[in-house]
Coordinates of all heavy atoms in Angstrom, one line a residue:
M222 N -100.1 135.5 22.5 CA -99.6 134.5 21.5 C -100.6 134.2 20.5 O -100.3 134.1 19.3 CB -99.1 133.3 22.3 CG -98.6 132.2 21.4 SD -97.0 132.7 20.7 CE -96.5 131.3 19.8
K223 N -101.8 133.9 20.9 CA -102.9 133.6 20.0 C -103.2 134.8 19.0 O -103.7 134.6 17.9 CB -104.1 133.1 20.7 CG -103.9 131.7 21.3 CD -105.2 131.3 22.0 CE -104.9 130.0 22.7 NZ -106.1 129.4 23.4
A224 N -103.1 136.0 19.6 CA -103.4 137.1 18.7 C -102.4 137.2 17.5 O -102.9 137.6 16.4 CB -103.2 138.4 19.6
W225 N -101.2 136.8 17.7 CA -100.2 136.8 16.6 C -100.6 135.7 15.6 O -100.4 135.9 14.4 CB -98.8 136.6 17.1 CG -98.3 137.9 17.7 CD1 -98.0 138.0 19.1 CD2 -98.0 139.1 17.1 NE1 -97.6 139.3 19.3 CE2 -97.5 140.0 18.1 CE3 -98.1 139.6 15.8 CZ2 -97.2 141.3 17.9 CZ3 -97.7 140.9 15.6 CH2 -97.2 141.7 16.6
L226 N -101.1 134.6 16.0 CA -101.6 133.6 15.1 C -102.8 134.1 14.3 O -102.8 133.8 13.1 CB -102.0 132.3 15.9 CG -100.8 131.6 16.6 CD1 -101.4 130.4 17.4 CD2 -99.9 131.0 15.5
V227 N -103.7 134.8 14.9 CA -104.8 135.3 14.2 C -104.4 136.4 13.2 O -104.9 136.4 12.1 CB -105.9 135.9 15.2 CG1 -107.0 136.6 14.5 CG2 -106.4 134.8 16.1
V228 N -103.4 137.2 13.6 CA -102.9 138.2 12.6 C -102.2 137.5 11.5 O -102.4 137.9 10.3 CB -101.9 139.2 13.4 CG1 -101.2 140.1 12.4 CG2 -102.7 140.0 14.4
G229 N -101.4 136.5 11.7 CA -100.8 135.8 10.7 C -101.8 135.1 9.7 O -101.6 135.1 8.5
M230 N -102.9 134.6 10.3 CA -103.9 134.0 9.5 C -104.6 135.0 8.7 O -104.9 134.8 7.5 CB -104.9 133.2 10.4 CG -106.0 132.5 9.6 SD -107.1 131.7 10.7 CE -106.6 130.1 10.7
L231 N -104.8 136.2 9.2 CA -105.5 137.3 8.5 C -104.6 137.7 7.3 O -105.1 137.9 6.2 CB -105.7 138.5 9.4 CG -107.0 138.5 10.2 CD1 -107.0 139.7 11.2 CD2 -108.2 138.6 9.3
I232 N -103.3 137.7 7.5 CA -102.4 138.1 6.4 C -102.4 137.0 5.3 O -102.5 137.3 4.1 CB -101.0 138.3 6.9 CG1 -100.9 139.5 7.8 CG2 -99.9 138.3 5.8 CD1 -99.6 139.7 8.6
I233 N -102.4 135.8 5.7 CA -102.5 134.7 4.7 C -103.8 134.7 3.9 O -103.8 134.6 2.7 CB -102.2 133.3 5.4 CG1 -100.7 133.3 5.8 CG2 -102.5 132.2 4.4 CD1 -100.4 132.1 6.7
V234 N -104.9 134.8 4.6 CA -106.2 134.9 4.0 C -106.3 136.1 3.1 O -106.8 136.0 2.0 CB -107.3 134.9 5.0 CG1 -108.7 135.3 4.4 CG2 -107.4 133.5 5.7
G235 N -105.7 137.2 3.5 CA -105.7 138.4 2.7 C -104.9 138.2 1.4 O -105.3 138.6 0.3
L236 N -103.8 137.5 1.5 CA -103.0 137.2 0.3 C -103.7 136.2 -0.7 O -103.7 136.4 -1.9 CB -101.6 136.6 0.7 CG -100.6 137.6 1.3 CD1 -99.4 136.8 1.8 CD2 -100.2 138.6 0.3
I237 N -104.4 135.3 -0.1 CA -105.2 134.3 -0.9 C -106.3 135.1 -1.6 O -106.6 134.9 -2.8 CB -105.8 133.2 -0.1 CG1 -104.6 132.3 0.4 CG2 -106.8 132.4 -0.8 CD1 -105.0 131.3 1.4
W238 N -107.0 136.0 -0.8 CA -108.1 136.8 -1.4 C -107.6 137.7 -2.5 O -108.2 137.7 -3.6 CB -108.7 137.6 -0.3 CG -109.8 138.5 -0.8 CD1 -111.1 138.2 -1.1 CD2 -109.7 139.9 -1.1 NE1 -111.8 139.3 -1.5 CE2 -110.9 140.3 -1.6 CE3 -108.6 140.8 -1.0 CZ2 -111.2 141.7 -1.9 CZ3 -108.9 142.1 -1.4 CH2 -110.1 142.5 -1.9
W239 N -106.5 138.3 -2.3 CA -105.9 139.2 -3.3 C -105.6 138.4 -4.6 O -105.9 138.9 -5.7 CB -104.7 139.9 -2.8 CG -104.0 140.8 -3.8 CD1 -104.4 142.0 -4.3 CD2 -102.8 140.4 -4.5 NE1 -103.5 142.4 -5.2 CE2 -102.5 141.5 -5.4 CE3 -101.9 139.4 -4.4 CZ2 -101.3 141.5 -6.2 CZ3 -100.8 139.4 -5.2 CH2 -100.5 140.4 -6.1
Y240 N -105.0 137.3 -4.4 CA -104.6 136.5 -5.6 C -105.8 136.0 -6.4 O -105.9 136.1 -7.6 CB -103.8 135.3 -5.1 CG -103.4 134.3 -6.3 CD1 -102.4 134.7 -7.2 CD2 -104.0 133.1 -6.4 CE1 -102.1 133.8 -8.2 CE2 -103.7 132.2 -7.4 CZ -102.7 132.6 -8.3 OH -102.4 131.7 -9.3
E241 N -106.8 135.5 -5.7 CA -108.0 135.0 -6.3 C -108.8 136.1 -6.9 O -109.4 136.0 -8.0 CB -108.9 134.2 -5.4 CG -108.2 132.9 -4.9 CD -108.1 131.9 -6.1 OE1 -109.0 131.9 -7.0 OE2 -107.2 131.1 -6.0
W242 N -108.9 137.2 -6.2 CA -109.8 138.3 -6.7 C -109.2 138.9 -7.9 O -109.9 139.3 -8.8 CB -109.8 139.4 -5.6 CG -111.0 140.3 -5.7 CD1 -111.0 141.5 -6.2 CD2 -112.3 140.1 -5.2 NE1 -112.3 142.1 -6.1 CE2 -113.1 141.2 -5.5 CE3 -112.9 139.0 -4.5 CZ2 -114.4 141.3 -5.2 CZ3 -114.2 139.1 -4.2 CH2 -115.0 140.2 -4.5
S243 N -107.9 139.0 -8.0 CA -107.2 139.6 -9.2 C -107.4 138.7 -10.4 O -107.3 139.2 -11.6 CB -105.8 139.9 -8.9 OG -105.0 138.7 -8.7
R244 N -107.6 137.4 -10.2 CA -107.7 136.5 -11.4 C -109.1 136.5 -11.9 O -109.3 136.1 -13.1 CB -107.3 135.1 -11.0 CG -105.8 135.0 -10.7 CD -105.5 133.6 -10.2 NE -106.0 132.7 -11.2 CZ -105.3 131.7 -11.8 NH1 -104.0 131.7 -11.6 NH2 -105.9 130.9 -12.6
L245 N -110.1 136.9 -11.1 CA -111.5 136.9 -11.6 C -111.8 138.2 -12.3 O -111.4 139.3 -11.9 CB -112.4 136.7 -10.4 CG -112.4 135.3 -9.7 CD1 -113.3 135.3 -8.5 CD2 -112.9 134.3 -10.7
E246 N -112.6 138.1 -13.4 CA -112.9 139.3 -14.1 C -114.1 140.0 -13.5 O -114.8 139.4 -12.6 CB -113.2 138.9 -15.6 CG -112.0 138.3 -16.3 CD -112.4 137.9 -17.7 OE1 -113.4 138.2 -18.2 OE2 -111.5 137.1 -18.2
R247 N -114.4 141.2 -13.9 CA -115.5 142.0 -13.3 C -116.9 141.3 -13.5 O -117.8 141.5 -12.7 CB -115.5 143.3 -13.9 CG -114.4 144.2 -13.5 CD -114.5 145.6 -14.1 NE -113.3 146.3 -13.7 CZ -113.3 147.6 -13.3 NH1 -114.5 148.2 -13.3 NH2 -112.2 148.2 -13.0
E248 N -117.1 140.5 -14.5 CA -118.4 140.0 -14.8 C -118.7 138.8 -13.8 O -119.9 138.5 -13.6 CB -118.5 139.4 -16.2 CG -118.2 140.4 -17.3 CD -116.8 140.5 -17.7 OE1 -116.1 139.5 -17.7 OE2 -116.3 141.7 -17.8
Y249 N -117.7 138.3 -13.2 CA -118.0 137.1 -12.3 C -118.3 137.5 -10.9 O -117.5 137.3 -10.0 CB -116.7 136.2 -12.3 CG -116.4 135.6 -13.7 CD1 -115.1 135.7 -14.2 CD2 -117.3 135.0 -14.4 CE1 -114.8 135.2 -15.4 CE2 -117.0 134.4 -15.7 CZ -115.8 134.5 -16.2 OH -115.5 134.0 -17.4
K250 N -119.5 138.1 -10.7 CA -119.9 138.6 -9.4 C -120.2 137.4 -8.5 O -119.9 137.5 -7.3 CB -121.1 139.5 -9.5 CG -120.7 140.8 -10.2 CD -121.9 141.7 -10.3 CE -121.5 143.0 -11.0 NZ -122.6 143.9 -11.1
K251 N -120.9 136.4 -9.0 CA -121.2 135.2 -8.1 C -120.0 134.5 -7.7 O -119.9 134.0 -6.5 CB -122.2 134.3 -8.8 CG -123.5 134.9 -9.1 CD -124.4 133.9 -9.8 CE -125.8 134.5 -10.0 NZ -126.7 133.5 -10.7
E252 N -119.0 134.4 -8.5 CA -117.8 133.7 -8.2 C -117.0 134.5 -7.1 O -116.4 133.9 -6.2 CB -116.9 133.4 -9.4 CG -117.4 132.3 -10.3 CD -118.5 132.8 -11.3 OE1 -118.9 134.0 -11.2 OE2 -119.0 132.0 -12.1
K253 N -117.0 135.8 -7.3 CA -116.3 136.6 -6.3 C -117.0 136.5 -4.9 O -116.4 136.5 -3.9 CB -116.3 138.1 -6.8 CG -115.3 138.3 -7.9 CD -115.2 139.8 -8.2 CE -114.1 140.1 -9.2 NZ -113.9 141.5 -9.5
A254 N -118.3 136.5 -5.0 CA -119.1 136.3 -3.7 C -118.8 135.0 -3.1 O -118.6 134.9 -1.8 CB -120.6 136.5 -3.9
A255 N -118.7 133.9 -3.9 CA -118.4 132.6 -3.3 C -117.0 132.6 -2.7 O -116.8 132.0 -1.6 CB -118.5 131.6 -4.4
V256 N -116.0 133.2 -3.4 CA -114.6 133.3 -2.8 C -114.6 134.0 -1.5 O -114.0 133.5 -0.5 CB -113.7 133.9 -3.9 CG1 -112.4 134.3 -3.2 CG2 -113.4 133.0 -5.0
A257 N -115.3 135.1 -1.5 CA -115.4 135.9 -0.2 C -116.0 135.2 0.9 O -115.5 135.1 2.0 CB -116.1 137.2 -0.5
I258 N -117.1 134.5 0.6 CA -117.9 133.8 1.7 C -117.1 132.6 2.2 O -116.9 132.4 3.4 CB -119.2 133.3 1.1 CG1 -120.1 134.6 1.0 CG2 -119.9 132.3 2.1 CD1 -121.4 134.3 0.3
L259 N -116.5 131.8 1.3 CA -115.7 130.7 1.7 C -114.4 131.1 2.5 O -114.1 130.4 3.5 CB -115.3 129.8 0.5 CG -116.4 129.1 -0.2 CD1 -115.9 128.4 -1.5 CD2 -117.0 128.1 0.8
L260 N -113.8 132.2 2.1 CA -112.6 132.6 2.8 C -113.0 133.1 4.2 O -112.3 132.9 5.2 CB -111.9 133.7 2.1 CG -111.0 133.2 1.0 CD1 -110.4 134.4 0.2 CD2 -109.8 132.4 1.5
C261 N -114.2 133.8 4.3 CA -114.6 134.3 5.6 C -115.0 133.1 6.5 O -114.7 133.1 7.7 CB -115.8 135.2 5.5 SG -115.4 136.8 4.8
L262 N -115.7 132.1 6.0 CA -116.0 130.9 6.8 C -114.8 130.2 7.2 O -114.7 129.7 8.4 CB -116.9 130.0 6.0 CG -118.4 130.5 5.8 CD1 -119.1 129.5 4.9 CD2 -119.1 130.6 7.1
A263 N -113.8 130.0 6.3 CA -112.5 129.4 6.7 C -111.8 130.1 7.8 O -111.3 129.6 8.7 CB -111.7 129.2 5.5
M264 N -111.8 131.5 7.7 CA -111.1 132.3 8.7 C -111.8 132.2 10.0 O -111.2 132.0 11.1 CB -111.1 133.7 8.2 CG -110.4 134.7 9.1 SD -108.7 134.4 9.2 CE -108.3 135.4 10.6
L265 N -113.1 132.2 10.0 CA -113.9 132.1 11.2 C -113.6 130.7 11.9 O -113.4 130.6 13.1 CB -115.4 132.2 11.0 CG -116.3 132.1 12.1 CD1 -116.1 133.2 13.1 CD2 -117.8 132.1 11.7
L266 N -113.7 129.7 11.1 CA -113.4 128.3 11.7 C -112.0 128.2 12.2 O -111.8 127.7 13.3 CB -113.6 127.3 10.6 CG -113.4 125.8 11.0 CD1 -114.3 125.4 12.2 CD2 -113.5 124.9 9.9
G267 N -111.0 128.8 11.5 CA -109.6 128.8 12.0 C -109.5 129.5 13.3 O -108.8 129.0 14.2
V268 N -110.1 130.7 13.4 CA -110.0 131.5 14.7 C -110.7 130.7 15.8 O -110.1 130.6 16.9 CB -110.6 132.9 14.5 CG1 -110.7 133.6 15.8 CG2 -109.7 133.7 13.5
I269 N -111.8 130.1 15.6 CA -112.5 129.4 16.6 C -111.7 128.2 17.1 O -111.6 127.9 18.3 CB -113.9 128.9 16.1 CG1 -114.9 130.0 16.0 CG2 -114.5 127.8 17.0 CD1 -116.2 129.7 15.3
L270 N -111.0 127.5 16.1 CA -110.2 126.4 16.5 C -108.9 126.8 17.2 O -108.3 126.0 18.0 CB -109.9 125.5 15.3 CG -111.1 124.7 14.8 CD1 -110.7 124.0 13.5 CD2 -111.6 123.7 15.8
M271 N -108.4 128.0 16.9 CA -107.2 128.5 17.6 C -107.6 128.9 19.0 O -106.8 128.6 20.0 CB -106.7 129.7 16.9 CG -105.7 129.4 15.8 SD -104.9 130.9 15.3 CE -105.2 130.8 13.6
V272 N -108.7 129.4 19.2 CA -109.1 129.9 20.6 C -109.5 128.7 21.4 O -109.2 128.6 22.6 CB -110.3 130.9 20.5 CG1 -110.9 131.2 21.9 CG2 -109.8 132.1 19.8
N273 N -110.2 127.7 20.9 CA -110.7 126.5 21.6 C -110.3 125.3 20.8 O -111.2 124.7 20.1 CB -112.2 126.6 21.8 CG -112.7 125.6 22.8 OD1 -111.9 124.8 23.3 ND2 -114.0 125.6 23.0
P274 N -109.1 124.8 20.9 CA -108.7 123.6 20.1 C -109.3 122.3 20.5 O -109.2 121.3 19.8 CB -107.2 123.6 20.3 CG -106.9 124.3 21.6 CD -108.0 125.3 21.8
D275 N -110.0 122.2 21.7 CA -110.6 121.0 22.1 C -112.0 120.7 21.6 O -112.7 119.8 22.1 CB -110.6 120.9 23.7 CG -109.2 121.0 24.2 OD1 -108.3 120.4 23.6 OD2 -109.0 121.5 25.3
L276 N -112.4 121.5 20.7 CA -113.8 121.3 20.1 C -113.8 120.0 19.4 O -112.8 119.5 18.8 CB -114.1 122.4 19.1 CG -114.4 123.8 19.7 CD1 -114.6 124.8 18.6 CD2 -115.7 123.7 20.6
P277 N -115.0 119.3 19.4 CA -115.1 118.0 18.7 C -115.0 118.2 17.2 O -115.5 119.2 16.7 CB -116.4 117.4 19.2 CG -117.2 118.6 19.7 CD -116.2 119.6 20.2
G278 N -114.6 117.2 16.5 CA -114.5 117.3 15.1 C -115.8 116.9 14.4 O -116.8 116.5 15.1
P279 N -115.9 117.1 13.1 CA -117.1 116.8 12.4 C -117.6 115.3 12.5 O -118.7 115.0 12.6 CB -116.9 117.2 11.0 CG -115.4 117.4 10.9 CD -114.9 117.6 12.2
T280 N -116.6 114.4 12.6 CA -117.0 113.0 12.7 C -117.6 112.7 14.0 O -118.5 111.8 14.1 CB -115.8 112.1 12.5 OG1 -114.7 112.4 13.4 CG2 -115.2 112.2 11.0
Q281 N -117.2 113.3 15.1 CA -117.8 113.1 16.4 C -119.2 113.7 16.4 O -120.1 113.1 17.0 CB -117.0 113.8 17.5 CG -115.6 113.1 17.6 CD -114.7 113.9 18.5 OE1 -114.8 115.1 18.7 NE2 -113.7 113.2 19.1
A282 N -119.4 114.8 15.7 CA -120.8 115.4 15.6 C -121.7 114.5 14.9 O -122.9 114.2 15.3 CB -120.7 116.8 15.0
V283 N -121.3 113.9 13.8 CA -122.1 113.0 13.0 C -122.4 111.7 13.8 O -123.5 111.2 13.8 CB -121.4 112.6 11.6 CG1 -122.1 111.5 10.9 CG2 -121.3 113.9 10.8
D284 N -121.4 111.2 14.5 CA -121.6 110.1 15.4 C -122.6 110.3 16.4 O -123.5 109.5 16.6 CB -120.3 109.6 16.0 CG -120.4 108.4 16.8 OD1 -121.0 107.4 16.3 OD2 -119.8 108.3 17.9
R285 N -122.6 111.5 17.1 CA -123.6 111.8 18.1 C -125.0 111.9 17.5 O -126.0 111.6 18.1 CB -123.2 113.1 18.8 CG -122.1 112.9 19.7 CD -121.9 114.2 20.5 NE -120.7 114.1 21.3 CZ -120.1 115.2 21.8 NH1 -120.5 116.4 21.6 NH2 -119.0 115.0 22.5
L286 N -125.0 112.4 16.3 CA -126.3 112.6 15.6 C -127.0 111.3 15.2 O -128.2 111.1 15.4 CB -126.1 113.5 14.4 CG -127.4 113.9 13.6 CD1 -128.3 114.8 14.4 CD2 -127.0 114.6 12.3
F287 N -126.2 110.4 14.7 CA -126.8 109.2 14.1 C -126.7 108.0 15.0 O -127.1 106.9 14.6 CB -126.1 108.9 12.8 CG -126.5 109.8 11.7 CD1 -125.6 110.7 11.2 CD2 -127.8 109.9 11.2 CE1 -126.0 111.6 10.2 CE2 -128.2 110.8 10.2 CZ -127.3 111.7 9.7
R288 N -126.1 108.1 16.2 CA -126.0 107.0 17.1 C -127.3 106.4 17.5 O -127.5 105.2 17.5 CB -125.2 107.3 18.4 CG -125.0 106.1 19.3 CD -124.1 106.5 20.5 NE -122.8 106.9 20.0 CZ -122.0 107.7 20.7 NH1 -122.4 108.2 21.8 NH2 -120.8 108.0 20.3
P289 N -128.4 107.2 17.8 CA -129.7 106.7 18.1 C -130.3 105.9 17.0 O -130.9 104.9 17.2 CB -130.5 107.9 18.5 CG -129.6 108.9 18.8 CD -128.3 108.7 18.0
F290 N -130.1 106.3 15.7 CA -130.6 105.6 14.6 C -129.9 104.3 14.4 O -130.5 103.3 14.1 CB -130.5 106.4 13.3 CG -131.2 107.7 13.3 CD1 -130.6 108.9 13.2 CD2 -132.6 107.7 13.5 CE1 -131.3 110.1 13.2 CE2 -133.4 108.9 13.5 CZ -132.7 110.1 13.4
G291 N -128.6 104.2 14.7 CA -127.9 103.0 14.6 C -128.4 102.0 15.7 O -128.5 100.8 15.4
K292 N -128.7 102.4 16.8 CA -129.2 101.6 17.9 C -130.6 101.0 17.5 O -130.9 99.9 17.8 CB -129.2 102.3 19.2 CG -127.9 102.5 19.8 CD -127.9 103.2 21.1 CE -126.5 103.5 21.7 NZ -126.6 104.2 23.0
M293 N -131.4 101.9 16.9 CA -132.7 101.4 16.5 C -132.6 100.4 15.4 O -133.4 99.4 15.4 CB -133.5 102.6 15.9 CG -134.0 103.5 17.0 SD -134.9 105.1 16.5 CE -135.6 104.7 14.9
L294 N -131.7 100.5 14.5 CA -131.5 99.5 13.4 C -130.9 98.2 13.9 O -131.2 97.1 13.3 CB -130.6 100.1 12.3 CG -131.2 101.2 11.5 CD1 -130.1 101.8 10.6 CD2 -132.4 100.8 10.7
E295 N -130.2 98.2 15.0 CA -129.6 97.0 15.6 C -130.7 96.1 16.2 O -130.6 94.9 16.3 CB -128.6 97.3 16.6 CG -127.3 97.8 16.0 CD -126.3 98.2 17.1 OE1 -126.6 98.0 18.3 OE2 -125.2 98.6 16.7
K296 N -131.8 96.7 16.7 CA -132.8 95.9 17.4 C -133.7 95.2 16.5 O -133.9 95.3 15.4 CB -133.6 96.9 18.3 CG -132.8 97.4 19.5 CD -133.7 98.3 20.3 CE -132.8 98.8 21.5 NZ -133.5 99.6 22.4

């Protein structure tokens, strides 16, 4: 079941890539690289969250990181 979700996500990302890539001109190499990198990162994050949906969110990670500093400031 999850494999079909990944395949569907690949198709959607491919369509987004095709649409954005065709709109950018040949001179815009940095912009094309940025589009490719961001789409790859989004795809990677999407697959990771499909495989393991119980991962903590970014707000929980920030809370864990800064909780000791908050305790130091309260004292």
Side-chain angles (χ1 to χ4, degrees):
M222 179 69 176
K223 290 181 183 180
W225 287 109
L226 292 172
V227 173
V228 170
M230 184 183 256
L231 275 171
I232 291 170
I233 292 171
V234 167
L236 289 172
I237 292 171
W238 176 80
W239 174 74
Y240 177 74
E241 291 294 331
W242 202 264
S243 64
R244 293 178 51 124
L245 290 173
E246 297 177 15
R247 290 184 182 220
E248 301 88 41
Y249 297 130
K250 291 182 181 180
K251 290 181 182 179
E252 286 82 358
K253 285 185 175 186
V256 166
I258 290 170
L259 289 174
L260 280 174
C261 288
L262 288 175
M264 181 67 192
L265 179 68
L266 180 61
V268 170
I269 288 172
L270 288 175
M271 273 191 230
V272 172
N273 191 0
D275 296 328
L276 287 175
T280 56
Q281 293 169 337
V283 170
D284 184 43
R285 286 183 186 167
L286 181 66
F287 289 111
R288 185 177 296 154
F290 296 119
K292 288 181 181 179
M293 286 174 27
L294 291 175
E295 287 177 358
K296 292 181 181 182

